[in-house]
PDB file of all heavy atoms in Angstrom:
ATOM      1  N   ALA C 249     -55.101  10.711  10.259  1.00  0.00           N
ATOM      2  CA  ALA C 249     -54.799   9.718  11.277  1.00  0.00           C
ATOM      3  C   ALA C 249     -54.332  10.501  12.504  1.00  0.00           C
ATOM      4  O   ALA C 249     -53.247  11.083  12.504  1.00  0.00           O
ATOM      5  CB  ALA C 249     -53.719   8.740  10.817  1.00  0.00           C
ATOM      6  N   ILE C 250     -55.177  10.558  13.524  1.00  0.00           N
ATOM      7  CA  ILE C 250     -54.993  11.477  14.658  1.00  0.00           C
ATOM      8  C   ILE C 250     -54.739  10.666  15.928  1.00  0.00           C
ATOM      9  O   ILE C 250     -55.554   9.889  16.374  1.00  0.00           O
ATOM     10  CB  ILE C 250     -56.248  12.369  14.833  1.00  0.00           C
ATOM     11  CG1 ILE C 250     -56.584  13.077  13.504  1.00  0.00           C
ATOM     12  CG2 ILE C 250     -56.030  13.383  15.959  1.00  0.00           C
ATOM     13  CD1 ILE C 250     -57.998  13.645  13.479  1.00  0.00           C
ATOM     14  N   THR C 251     -53.568  10.900  16.497  1.00  0.00           N
ATOM     15  CA  THR C 251     -53.226  10.218  17.748  1.00  0.00           C
ATOM     16  C   THR C 251     -53.956  10.885  18.911  1.00  0.00           C
ATOM     17  O   THR C 251     -53.896  12.098  19.069  1.00  0.00           O
ATOM     18  CB  THR C 251     -51.710  10.267  17.992  1.00  0.00           C
ATOM     19  OG1 THR C 251     -51.023   9.692  16.878  1.00  0.00           O
ATOM     20  CG2 THR C 251     -51.339   9.483  19.270  1.00  0.00           C
ATOM     21  N   LEU C 252     -54.659  10.081  19.708  1.00  0.00           N
ATOM     22  CA  LEU C 252     -55.456  10.580  20.829  1.00  0.00           C
ATOM     23  C   LEU C 252     -54.620  10.568  22.093  1.00  0.00           C
ATOM     24  O   LEU C 252     -53.619   9.846  22.218  1.00  0.00           O
ATOM     25  CB  LEU C 252     -56.711   9.727  20.990  1.00  0.00           C
ATOM     26  CG  LEU C 252     -57.594   9.633  19.727  1.00  0.00           C
ATOM     27  CD1 LEU C 252     -58.756   8.701  19.975  1.00  0.00           C
ATOM     28  CD2 LEU C 252     -58.081  11.014  19.317  1.00  0.00           C
ATOM     29  N   PRO C 253     -55.001  11.371  23.084  1.00  0.00           N
ATOM     30  CA  PRO C 253     -54.226  11.461  24.333  1.00  0.00           C
ATOM     31  C   PRO C 253     -54.026  10.130  25.036  1.00  0.00           C
ATOM     32  O   PRO C 253     -53.021   9.928  25.713  1.00  0.00           O
ATOM     33  CB  PRO C 253     -55.080  12.422  25.191  1.00  0.00           C
ATOM     34  CG  PRO C 253     -55.835  13.241  24.199  1.00  0.00           C
ATOM     35  CD  PRO C 253     -56.126  12.329  23.072  1.00  0.00           C
ATOM     36  N   ASP C 254     -54.961   9.180  24.903  1.00  0.00           N
ATOM     37  CA  ASP C 254     -54.854   7.879  25.602  1.00  0.00           C
ATOM     38  C   ASP C 254     -54.091   6.832  24.804  1.00  0.00           C
ATOM     39  O   ASP C 254     -54.026   5.679  25.160  1.00  0.00           O
ATOM     40  CB  ASP C 254     -56.227   7.352  25.964  1.00  0.00           C
ATOM     41  CG  ASP C 254     -57.128   7.133  24.729  1.00  0.00           C
ATOM     42  OD1 ASP C 254     -56.634   7.330  23.600  1.00  0.00           O
ATOM     43  OD2 ASP C 254     -58.323   6.829  24.899  1.00  0.00           O
ATOM     44  N   GLY C 255     -53.471   7.253  23.672  1.00  0.00           N
ATOM     45  CA  GLY C 255     -52.672   6.332  22.867  1.00  0.00           C
ATOM     46  C   GLY C 255     -53.422   5.674  21.729  1.00  0.00           C
ATOM     47  O   GLY C 255     -52.791   5.023  20.881  1.00  0.00           O
ATOM     48  N   ARG C 256     -54.739   5.808  21.682  1.00  0.00           N
ATOM     49  CA  ARG C 256     -55.475   5.282  20.534  1.00  0.00           C
ATOM     50  C   ARG C 256     -55.291   6.218  19.341  1.00  0.00           C
ATOM     51  O   ARG C 256     -54.727   7.304  19.446  1.00  0.00           O
ATOM     52  CB  ARG C 256     -56.958   5.188  20.892  1.00  0.00           C
ATOM     53  CG  ARG C 256     -57.316   4.194  22.000  1.00  0.00           C
ATOM     54  CD  ARG C 256     -58.796   4.113  22.256  1.00  0.00           C
ATOM     55  NE  ARG C 256     -59.329   5.426  22.662  1.00  0.00           N
ATOM     56  CZ  ARG C 256     -60.623   5.781  22.584  1.00  0.00           C
ATOM     57  NH1 ARG C 256     -61.532   4.920  22.130  1.00  0.00           N
ATOM     58  NH2 ARG C 256     -61.007   6.987  22.974  1.00  0.00           N
ATOM     59  N   MET C 257     -55.763   5.767  18.195  1.00  0.00           N
ATOM     60  CA  MET C 257     -55.686   6.582  16.999  1.00  0.00           C
ATOM     61  C   MET C 257     -57.001   6.640  16.292  1.00  0.00           C
ATOM     62  O   MET C 257     -57.664   5.593  16.086  1.00  0.00           O
ATOM     63  CB  MET C 257     -54.609   6.055  16.031  1.00  0.00           C
ATOM     64  CG  MET C 257     -54.558   6.821  14.704  1.00  0.00           C
ATOM     65  SD  MET C 257     -53.127   6.384  13.696  1.00  0.00           S
ATOM     66  CE  MET C 257     -51.858   7.435  14.450  1.00  0.00           C
ATOM     67  N   ALA C 258     -57.455   7.874  15.920  1.00  0.00           N
ATOM     68  CA  ALA C 258     -58.659   8.076  15.116  1.00  0.00           C
ATOM     69  C   ALA C 258     -58.287   8.116  13.638  1.00  0.00           C
ATOM     70  O   ALA C 258     -57.321   8.796  13.242  1.00  0.00           O
ATOM     71  CB  ALA C 258     -59.365   9.356  15.524  1.00  0.00           C
ATOM     72  N   LEU C 259     -59.022   7.365  12.849  1.00  0.00           N
ATOM     73  CA  LEU C 259     -58.796   7.332  11.397  1.00  0.00           C
ATOM     74  C   LEU C 259     -60.015   7.910  10.705  1.00  0.00           C
ATOM     75  O   LEU C 259     -61.154   7.582  11.082  1.00  0.00           O
ATOM     76  CB  LEU C 259     -58.582   5.899  10.930  1.00  0.00           C
ATOM     77  CG  LEU C 259     -57.471   5.098  11.605  1.00  0.00           C
ATOM     78  CD1 LEU C 259     -57.570   3.641  11.205  1.00  0.00           C
ATOM     79  CD2 LEU C 259     -56.109   5.662  11.281  1.00  0.00           C
ATOM     80  N   VAL C 260     -59.801   8.707   9.688  1.00  0.00           N
ATOM     81  CA  VAL C 260     -60.943   9.256   8.946  1.00  0.00           C
ATOM     82  C   VAL C 260     -60.640   9.254   7.456  1.00  0.00           C
ATOM     83  O   VAL C 260     -59.528   9.540   7.021  1.00  0.00           O
ATOM     84  CB  VAL C 260     -61.286  10.679   9.438  1.00  0.00           C
ATOM     85  CG1 VAL C 260     -60.080  11.613   9.283  1.00  0.00           C
ATOM     86  CG2 VAL C 260     -62.492  11.245   8.694  1.00  0.00           C
ATOM     87  N   MET C 261     -61.658   8.903   6.685  1.00  0.00           N
ATOM     88  CA  MET C 261     -61.585   8.967   5.221  1.00  0.00           C
ATOM     89  C   MET C 261     -62.909   9.552   4.768  1.00  0.00           C
ATOM     90  O   MET C 261     -63.980   9.026   5.104  1.00  0.00           O
ATOM     91  CB  MET C 261     -61.375   7.583   4.634  1.00  0.00           C
ATOM     92  CG  MET C 261     -61.345   7.536   3.087  1.00  0.00           C
ATOM     93  SD  MET C 261     -59.963   8.397   2.349  1.00  0.00           S
ATOM     94  CE  MET C 261     -58.580   7.448   2.942  1.00  0.00           C
ATOM     95  N   ALA C 262     -62.883  10.641   4.033  1.00  0.00           N
ATOM     96  CA  ALA C 262     -64.132  11.365   3.692  1.00  0.00           C
ATOM     97  C   ALA C 262     -64.054  11.933   2.284  1.00  0.00           C
ATOM     98  O   ALA C 262     -62.964  12.189   1.764  1.00  0.00           O
ATOM     99  CB  ALA C 262     -64.411  12.463   4.711  1.00  0.00           C
ATOM    100  N   ASP C 263     -65.238  12.158   1.708  1.00  0.00           N
ATOM    101  CA  ASP C 263     -65.331  12.707   0.356  1.00  0.00           C
ATOM    102  C   ASP C 263     -66.603  13.543   0.285  1.00  0.00           C
ATOM    103  O   ASP C 263     -67.707  13.056   0.516  1.00  0.00           O
ATOM    104  CB  ASP C 263     -65.370  11.594  -0.679  1.00  0.00           C
ATOM    105  CG  ASP C 263     -65.308  12.113  -2.103  1.00  0.00           C
ATOM    106  OD1 ASP C 263     -65.171  13.315  -2.296  1.00  0.00           O
ATOM    107  OD2 ASP C 263     -65.390  11.281  -3.051  1.00  0.00           O
ATOM    108  N   VAL C 264     -66.444  14.826  -0.008  1.00  0.00           N
ATOM    109  CA  VAL C 264     -67.601  15.728  -0.103  1.00  0.00           C
ATOM    110  C   VAL C 264     -68.199  15.688  -1.501  1.00  0.00           C
ATOM    111  O   VAL C 264     -67.472  15.561  -2.479  1.00  0.00           O
ATOM    112  CB  VAL C 264     -67.223  17.178   0.285  1.00  0.00           C
ATOM    113  CG1 VAL C 264     -66.242  17.756  -0.695  1.00  0.00           C
ATOM    114  CG2 VAL C 264     -68.439  18.061   0.373  1.00  0.00           C
ATOM    115  N   SER C 265     -69.531  15.722  -1.606  1.00  0.00           N
ATOM    116  CA  SER C 265     -70.157  15.775  -2.893  1.00  0.00           C
ATOM    117  C   SER C 265     -69.861  17.130  -3.547  1.00  0.00           C
ATOM    118  O   SER C 265     -69.811  18.160  -2.879  1.00  0.00           O
ATOM    119  CB  SER C 265     -71.673  15.591  -2.766  1.00  0.00           C
ATOM    120  OG  SER C 265     -72.243  16.666  -2.037  1.00  0.00           O
ATOM    121  N   GLY C 266     -69.667  17.123  -4.867  1.00  0.00           N
ATOM    122  CA  GLY C 266     -69.364  18.360  -5.564  1.00  0.00           C
ATOM    123  C   GLY C 266     -67.891  18.724  -5.466  1.00  0.00           C
ATOM    124  O   GLY C 266     -67.111  18.044  -4.806  1.00  0.00           O
ATOM    125  N   LYS C 267     -67.534  19.772  -6.158  1.00  0.00           N
ATOM    126  CA  LYS C 267     -66.107  20.155  -6.282  1.00  0.00           C
ATOM    127  C   LYS C 267     -65.934  21.623  -5.969  1.00  0.00           C
ATOM    128  O   LYS C 267     -66.837  22.307  -5.549  1.00  0.00           O
ATOM    129  CB  LYS C 267     -65.606  19.842  -7.678  1.00  0.00           C
ATOM    130  CG  LYS C 267     -65.744  18.374  -8.073  1.00  0.00           C
ATOM    131  CD  LYS C 267     -65.197  18.130  -9.452  1.00  0.00           C
ATOM    132  CE  LYS C 267     -65.442  16.722  -9.935  1.00  0.00           C
ATOM    133  NZ  LYS C 267     -64.835  15.707  -9.067  1.00  0.00           N
ATOM    134  N   SER C 268     -64.716  22.098  -6.180  1.00  0.00           N
ATOM    135  CA  SER C 268     -64.348  23.488  -6.101  1.00  0.00           C
ATOM    136  C   SER C 268     -64.385  24.001  -4.653  1.00  0.00           C
ATOM    137  O   SER C 268     -64.370  23.252  -3.702  1.00  0.00           O
ATOM    138  CB  SER C 268     -65.221  24.348  -7.009  1.00  0.00           C
ATOM    139  OG  SER C 268     -64.668  25.612  -7.179  1.00  0.00           O
ATOM    140  N   VAL C 269     -64.429  25.338  -4.508  1.00  0.00           N
ATOM    141  CA  VAL C 269     -64.274  25.967  -3.208  1.00  0.00           C
ATOM    142  C   VAL C 269     -65.336  25.545  -2.190  1.00  0.00           C
ATOM    143  O   VAL C 269     -65.000  25.229  -1.063  1.00  0.00           O
ATOM    144  CB  VAL C 269     -64.256  27.503  -3.370  1.00  0.00           C
ATOM    145  CG1 VAL C 269     -64.239  28.181  -2.014  1.00  0.00           C
ATOM    146  CG2 VAL C 269     -63.054  27.945  -4.175  1.00  0.00           C
ATOM    147  N   PRO C 270     -66.624  25.469  -2.556  1.00  0.00           N
ATOM    148  CA  PRO C 270     -67.605  25.052  -1.545  1.00  0.00           C
ATOM    149  C   PRO C 270     -67.304  23.671  -0.969  1.00  0.00           C
ATOM    150  O   PRO C 270     -67.444  23.472   0.259  1.00  0.00           O
ATOM    151  CB  PRO C 270     -68.930  25.015  -2.329  1.00  0.00           C
ATOM    152  CG  PRO C 270     -68.733  25.999  -3.423  1.00  0.00           C
ATOM    153  CD  PRO C 270     -67.304  25.858  -3.818  1.00  0.00           C
ATOM    154  N   GLY C 271     -66.864  22.742  -1.800  1.00  0.00           N
ATOM    155  CA  GLY C 271     -66.521  21.419  -1.294  1.00  0.00           C
ATOM    156  C   GLY C 271     -65.339  21.440  -0.360  1.00  0.00           C
ATOM    157  O   GLY C 271     -65.324  20.816   0.694  1.00  0.00           O
ATOM    158  N   ALA C 272     -64.294  22.177  -0.735  1.00  0.00           N
ATOM    159  CA  ALA C 272     -63.101  22.288   0.098  1.00  0.00           C
ATOM    160  C   ALA C 272     -63.430  22.942   1.428  1.00  0.00           C
ATOM    161  O   ALA C 272     -62.918  22.546   2.482  1.00  0.00           O
ATOM    162  CB  ALA C 272     -62.028  23.090  -0.632  1.00  0.00           C
ATOM    163  N   LEU C 273     -64.289  23.956   1.422  1.00  0.00           N
ATOM    164  CA  LEU C 273     -64.677  24.612   2.674  1.00  0.00           C
ATOM    165  C   LEU C 273     -65.462  23.687   3.571  1.00  0.00           C
ATOM    166  O   LEU C 273     -65.284  23.723   4.788  1.00  0.00           O
ATOM    167  CB  LEU C 273     -65.488  25.875   2.352  1.00  0.00           C
ATOM    168  CG  LEU C 273     -64.724  27.033   1.708  1.00  0.00           C
ATOM    169  CD1 LEU C 273     -65.700  28.150   1.329  1.00  0.00           C
ATOM    170  CD2 LEU C 273     -63.647  27.554   2.647  1.00  0.00           C
ATOM    171  N   LEU C 274     -66.312  22.850   2.982  1.00  0.00           N
ATOM    172  CA  LEU C 274     -67.085  21.926   3.795  1.00  0.00           C
ATOM    173  C   LEU C 274     -66.180  20.865   4.439  1.00  0.00           C
ATOM    174  O   LEU C 274     -66.365  20.485   5.587  1.00  0.00           O
ATOM    175  CB  LEU C 274     -68.171  21.272   2.944  1.00  0.00           C
ATOM    176  CG  LEU C 274     -69.294  20.577   3.717  1.00  0.00           C
ATOM    177  CD1 LEU C 274     -69.973  21.532   4.683  1.00  0.00           C
ATOM    178  CD2 LEU C 274     -70.330  19.969   2.772  1.00  0.00           C
ATOM    179  N   VAL C 275     -65.192  20.410   3.671  1.00  0.00           N
ATOM    180  CA  VAL C 275     -64.214  19.449   4.243  1.00  0.00           C
ATOM    181  C   VAL C 275     -63.441  20.112   5.378  1.00  0.00           C
ATOM    182  O   VAL C 275     -63.157  19.501   6.388  1.00  0.00           O
ATOM    183  CB  VAL C 275     -63.257  18.941   3.141  1.00  0.00           C
ATOM    184  CG1 VAL C 275     -62.091  18.196   3.777  1.00  0.00           C
ATOM    185  CG2 VAL C 275     -63.990  18.029   2.199  1.00  0.00           C
ATOM    186  N   SER C 276     -63.119  21.401   5.209  1.00  0.00           N
ATOM    187  CA  SER C 276     -62.439  22.155   6.257  1.00  0.00           C
ATOM    188  C   SER C 276     -63.293  22.226   7.512  1.00  0.00           C
ATOM    189  O   SER C 276     -62.777  22.108   8.641  1.00  0.00           O
ATOM    190  CB  SER C 276     -62.084  23.545   5.751  1.00  0.00           C
ATOM    191  OG  SER C 276     -61.398  24.255   6.747  1.00  0.00           O
ATOM    192  N   THR C 277     -64.592  22.391   7.336  1.00  0.00           N
ATOM    193  CA  THR C 277     -65.503  22.388   8.481  1.00  0.00           C
ATOM    194  C   THR C 277     -65.499  21.042   9.201  1.00  0.00           C
ATOM    195  O   THR C 277     -65.462  20.973  10.434  1.00  0.00           O
ATOM    196  CB  THR C 277     -66.941  22.723   8.005  1.00  0.00           C
ATOM    197  OG1 THR C 277     -66.971  24.006   7.425  1.00  0.00           O
ATOM    198  CG2 THR C 277     -67.932  22.695   9.174  1.00  0.00           C
ATOM    199  N   LEU C 278     -65.512  19.977   8.404  1.00  0.00           N
ATOM    200  CA  LEU C 278     -65.454  18.613   9.003  1.00  0.00           C
ATOM    201  C   LEU C 278     -64.177  18.434   9.769  1.00  0.00           C
ATOM    202  O   LEU C 278     -64.198  17.930  10.917  1.00  0.00           O
ATOM    203  CB  LEU C 278     -65.569  17.563   7.895  1.00  0.00           C
ATOM    204  CG  LEU C 278     -65.335  16.127   8.328  1.00  0.00           C
ATOM    205  CD1 LEU C 278     -66.429  15.668   9.274  1.00  0.00           C
ATOM    206  CD2 LEU C 278     -65.254  15.196   7.119  1.00  0.00           C
ATOM    207  N   GLN C 279     -63.061  18.814   9.210  1.00  0.00           N
ATOM    208  CA  GLN C 279     -61.765  18.599   9.845  1.00  0.00           C
ATOM    209  C   GLN C 279     -61.666  19.375  11.156  1.00  0.00           C
ATOM    210  O   GLN C 279     -61.230  18.854  12.199  1.00  0.00           O
ATOM    211  CB  GLN C 279     -60.628  19.008   8.891  1.00  0.00           C
ATOM    212  CG  GLN C 279     -59.238  18.683   9.375  1.00  0.00           C
ATOM    213  CD  GLN C 279     -58.512  19.894   9.920  1.00  0.00           C
ATOM    214  OE1 GLN C 279     -59.090  20.985  10.025  1.00  0.00           O
ATOM    215  NE2 GLN C 279     -57.253  19.721  10.285  1.00  0.00           N
ATOM    216  N   ALA C 280     -62.076  20.648  11.125  1.00  0.00           N
ATOM    217  CA  ALA C 280     -62.005  21.478  12.319  1.00  0.00           C
ATOM    218  C   ALA C 280     -62.942  20.943  13.433  1.00  0.00           C
ATOM    219  O   ALA C 280     -62.551  20.888  14.614  1.00  0.00           O
ATOM    220  CB  ALA C 280     -62.373  22.913  11.965  1.00  0.00           C
ATOM    221  N   SER C 281     -64.162  20.555  13.049  1.00  0.00           N
ATOM    222  CA  SER C 281     -65.124  20.047  14.012  1.00  0.00           C
ATOM    223  C   SER C 281     -64.614  18.727  14.629  1.00  0.00           C
ATOM    224  O   SER C 281     -64.702  18.516  15.846  1.00  0.00           O
ATOM    225  CB  SER C 281     -66.478  19.813  13.375  1.00  0.00           C
ATOM    226  OG  SER C 281     -66.972  21.035  12.842  1.00  0.00           O
ATOM    227  N   LEU C 282     -64.123  17.842  13.762  1.00  0.00           N
ATOM    228  CA  LEU C 282     -63.616  16.548  14.242  1.00  0.00           C
ATOM    229  C   LEU C 282     -62.479  16.729  15.217  1.00  0.00           C
ATOM    230  O   LEU C 282     -62.457  16.111  16.302  1.00  0.00           O
ATOM    231  CB  LEU C 282     -63.170  15.684  13.032  1.00  0.00           C
ATOM    232  CG  LEU C 282     -62.543  14.339  13.387  1.00  0.00           C
ATOM    233  CD1 LEU C 282     -63.540  13.436  14.114  1.00  0.00           C
ATOM    234  CD2 LEU C 282     -62.056  13.654  12.109  1.00  0.00           C
ATOM    235  N   ARG C 283     -61.513  17.561  14.876  1.00  0.00           N
ATOM    236  CA  ARG C 283     -60.384  17.824  15.760  1.00  0.00           C
ATOM    237  C   ARG C 283     -60.846  18.364  17.103  1.00  0.00           C
ATOM    238  O   ARG C 283     -60.290  18.011  18.153  1.00  0.00           O
ATOM    239  CB  ARG C 283     -59.410  18.781  15.084  1.00  0.00           C
ATOM    240  CG  ARG C 283     -58.669  18.208  13.884  1.00  0.00           C
ATOM    241  CD  ARG C 283     -57.327  17.691  14.324  1.00  0.00           C
ATOM    242  NE  ARG C 283     -56.572  17.059  13.235  1.00  0.00           N
ATOM    243  CZ  ARG C 283     -55.322  16.628  13.383  1.00  0.00           C
ATOM    244  NH1 ARG C 283     -54.712  16.734  14.559  1.00  0.00           N
ATOM    245  NH2 ARG C 283     -54.699  16.044  12.398  1.00  0.00           N
ATOM    246  N   ALA C 284     -61.824  19.250  17.062  1.00  0.00           N
ATOM    247  CA  ALA C 284     -62.318  19.853  18.315  1.00  0.00           C
ATOM    248  C   ALA C 284     -62.990  18.806  19.173  1.00  0.00           C
ATOM    249  O   ALA C 284     -62.783  18.721  20.409  1.00  0.00           O
ATOM    250  CB  ALA C 284     -63.283  20.992  18.003  1.00  0.00           C
ATOM    251  N   TYR C 285     -63.859  17.947  18.561  1.00  0.00           N
ATOM    252  CA  TYR C 285     -64.577  16.943  19.329  1.00  0.00           C
ATOM    253  C   TYR C 285     -63.619  15.898  19.905  1.00  0.00           C
ATOM    254  O   TYR C 285     -63.905  15.320  20.954  1.00  0.00           O
ATOM    255  CB  TYR C 285     -65.618  16.261  18.444  1.00  0.00           C
ATOM    256  CG  TYR C 285     -66.767  17.179  18.026  1.00  0.00           C
ATOM    257  CD1 TYR C 285     -67.370  17.021  16.781  1.00  0.00           C
ATOM    258  CD2 TYR C 285     -67.251  18.178  18.843  1.00  0.00           C
ATOM    259  CE1 TYR C 285     -68.419  17.845  16.377  1.00  0.00           C
ATOM    260  CE2 TYR C 285     -68.288  19.001  18.457  1.00  0.00           C
ATOM    261  CZ  TYR C 285     -68.866  18.840  17.228  1.00  0.00           C
ATOM    262  OH  TYR C 285     -69.901  19.652  16.841  1.00  0.00           O
ATOM    263  N   LEU C 286     -62.521  15.621  19.216  1.00  0.00           N
ATOM    264  CA  LEU C 286     -61.579  14.618  19.698  1.00  0.00           C
ATOM    265  C   LEU C 286     -60.754  15.078  20.904  1.00  0.00           C
ATOM    266  O   LEU C 286     -60.093  14.271  21.513  1.00  0.00           O
ATOM    267  CB  LEU C 286     -60.627  14.202  18.577  1.00  0.00           C
ATOM    268  CG  LEU C 286     -61.256  13.417  17.426  1.00  0.00           C
ATOM    269  CD1 LEU C 286     -60.219  13.145  16.331  1.00  0.00           C
ATOM    270  CD2 LEU C 286     -61.869  12.090  17.885  1.00  0.00           C
ATOM    271  N   GLU C 287     -60.827  16.370  21.222  1.00  0.00           N
ATOM    272  CA  GLU C 287     -60.071  16.901  22.346  1.00  0.00           C
ATOM    273  C   GLU C 287     -60.610  16.401  23.685  1.00  0.00           C
ATOM    274  O   GLU C 287     -59.907  16.340  24.651  1.00  0.00           O
ATOM    275  CB  GLU C 287     -60.093  18.437  22.320  1.00  0.00           C
ATOM    276  CG  GLU C 287     -59.293  19.063  21.201  1.00  0.00           C
ATOM    277  CD  GLU C 287     -57.800  18.833  21.351  1.00  0.00           C
ATOM    278  OE1 GLU C 287     -57.320  18.793  22.508  1.00  0.00           O
ATOM    279  OE2 GLU C 287     -57.126  18.653  20.319  1.00  0.00           O
ATOM    280  N   SER C 288     -61.896  16.032  23.727  1.00  0.00           N
ATOM    281  CA  SER C 288     -62.524  15.553  24.955  1.00  0.00           C
ATOM    282  C   SER C 288     -62.910  14.096  24.762  1.00  0.00           C
ATOM    283  O   SER C 288     -62.862  13.539  23.675  1.00  0.00           O
ATOM    284  CB  SER C 288     -63.733  16.398  25.300  1.00  0.00           C
ATOM    285  OG  SER C 288     -64.647  16.447  24.227  1.00  0.00           O
ATOM    286  N   SER C 289     -63.325  13.463  25.869  1.00  0.00           N
ATOM    287  CA  SER C 289     -63.725  12.065  25.777  1.00  0.00           C
ATOM    288  C   SER C 289     -64.980  11.930  24.907  1.00  0.00           C
ATOM    289  O   SER C 289     -65.805  12.854  24.846  1.00  0.00           O
ATOM    290  CB  SER C 289     -64.005  11.498  27.176  1.00  0.00           C
ATOM    291  OG  SER C 289     -65.047  12.221  27.791  1.00  0.00           O
ATOM    292  N   PHE C 290     -65.128  10.788  24.219  1.00  0.00           N
ATOM    293  CA  PHE C 290     -66.220  10.619  23.298  1.00  0.00           C
ATOM    294  C   PHE C 290     -66.491   9.141  23.060  1.00  0.00           C
ATOM    295  O   PHE C 290     -65.654   8.283  23.353  1.00  0.00           O
ATOM    296  CB  PHE C 290     -65.891  11.272  21.940  1.00  0.00           C
ATOM    297  CG  PHE C 290     -64.744  10.585  21.225  1.00  0.00           C
ATOM    298  CD1 PHE C 290     -64.991   9.569  20.308  1.00  0.00           C
ATOM    299  CD2 PHE C 290     -63.437  10.973  21.502  1.00  0.00           C
ATOM    300  CE1 PHE C 290     -63.924   8.928  19.669  1.00  0.00           C
ATOM    301  CE2 PHE C 290     -62.367  10.308  20.856  1.00  0.00           C
ATOM    302  CZ  PHE C 290     -62.625   9.290  19.948  1.00  0.00           C
ATOM    303  N   ASP C 291     -67.694   8.829  22.628  1.00  0.00           N
ATOM    304  CA  ASP C 291     -67.961   7.533  22.036  1.00  0.00           C
ATOM    305  C   ASP C 291     -68.262   7.771  20.577  1.00  0.00           C
ATOM    306  O   ASP C 291     -68.771   8.836  20.176  1.00  0.00           O
ATOM    307  CB  ASP C 291     -69.121   6.804  22.746  1.00  0.00           C
ATOM    308  CG  ASP C 291     -70.444   7.416  22.470  1.00  0.00           C
ATOM    309  OD1 ASP C 291     -71.077   7.107  21.427  1.00  0.00           O
ATOM    310  OD2 ASP C 291     -70.918   8.247  23.291  1.00  0.00           O
ATOM    311  N   LEU C 292     -67.935   6.801  19.750  1.00  0.00           N
ATOM    312  CA  LEU C 292     -67.903   7.026  18.328  1.00  0.00           C
ATOM    313  C   LEU C 292     -69.259   7.407  17.716  1.00  0.00           C
ATOM    314  O   LEU C 292     -69.365   8.297  16.897  1.00  0.00           O
ATOM    315  CB  LEU C 292     -67.367   5.764  17.622  1.00  0.00           C
ATOM    316  CG  LEU C 292     -66.726   5.928  16.247  1.00  0.00           C
ATOM    317  CD1 LEU C 292     -65.675   7.028  16.276  1.00  0.00           C
ATOM    318  CD2 LEU C 292     -66.102   4.620  15.794  1.00  0.00           C
ATOM    319  N   VAL C 293     -70.330   6.735  18.134  1.00  0.00           N
ATOM    320  CA  VAL C 293     -71.663   7.012  17.594  1.00  0.00           C
ATOM    321  C   VAL C 293     -72.075   8.443  17.909  1.00  0.00           C
ATOM    322  O   VAL C 293     -72.564   9.169  17.046  1.00  0.00           O
ATOM    323  CB  VAL C 293     -72.676   5.993  18.130  1.00  0.00           C
ATOM    324  CG1 VAL C 293     -74.103   6.463  17.798  1.00  0.00           C
ATOM    325  CG2 VAL C 293     -72.426   4.637  17.528  1.00  0.00           C
ATOM    326  N   SER C 294     -71.869   8.860  19.162  1.00  0.00           N
ATOM    327  CA  SER C 294     -72.230  10.245  19.553  1.00  0.00           C
ATOM    328  C   SER C 294     -71.412  11.253  18.752  1.00  0.00           C
ATOM    329  O   SER C 294     -71.933  12.316  18.331  1.00  0.00           O
ATOM    330  CB  SER C 294     -72.005  10.474  21.040  1.00  0.00           C
ATOM    331  OG  SER C 294     -72.870   9.627  21.786  1.00  0.00           O
ATOM    332  N   LEU C 295     -70.139  10.934  18.520  1.00  0.00           N
ATOM    333  CA  LEU C 295     -69.292  11.822  17.724  1.00  0.00           C
ATOM    334  C   LEU C 295     -69.817  11.990  16.301  1.00  0.00           C
ATOM    335  O   LEU C 295     -69.898  13.099  15.782  1.00  0.00           O
ATOM    336  CB  LEU C 295     -67.869  11.271  17.707  1.00  0.00           C
ATOM    337  CG  LEU C 295     -66.849  11.989  16.804  1.00  0.00           C
ATOM    338  CD1 LEU C 295     -66.682  13.441  17.224  1.00  0.00           C
ATOM    339  CD2 LEU C 295     -65.507  11.262  16.845  1.00  0.00           C
ATOM    340  N   VAL C 296     -70.198  10.878  15.673  1.00  0.00           N
ATOM    341  CA  VAL C 296     -70.703  10.954  14.300  1.00  0.00           C
ATOM    342  C   VAL C 296     -72.024  11.712  14.254  1.00  0.00           C
ATOM    343  O   VAL C 296     -72.281  12.485  13.320  1.00  0.00           O
ATOM    344  CB  VAL C 296     -70.844   9.529  13.703  1.00  0.00           C
ATOM    345  CG1 VAL C 296     -71.490   9.591  12.328  1.00  0.00           C
ATOM    346  CG2 VAL C 296     -69.509   8.856  13.629  1.00  0.00           C
TER     347      VAL C 296
END
């Protein structure tokens, strides 16, 4: 649940297929990319 600069909040719920280290690393990629994209203005469809 990420508070945005304009006071809105981004919510995310995700589940990677598979388990163990590869799955955790892929989730880490999602989290880092999402956080980076949220730093600038966006529309939701383009972000996804």
Side-chain angles (χ1 to χ4, degrees):
I250 306 163
T251 304
L252 304 177
D254 59 5
R256 296 181 300 161
M257 175 170 278
L259 306 170
V260 58
M261 178 66 64
D263 188 2
V264 64
S265 64
K267 302 181 185 300
S268 195
V269 175
L273 291 174
L274 196 57
V275 169
S276 181
T277 298
L278 172 65
Q279 188 257 6
S281 301
L282 177 61
R283 290 264 178 176
Y285 293 146
L286 291 176
E287 290 293 326
S288 56
S289 60
F290 65 92
D291 71 84
L292 205 51
V293 168
S294 297
L295 173 60
V296 175

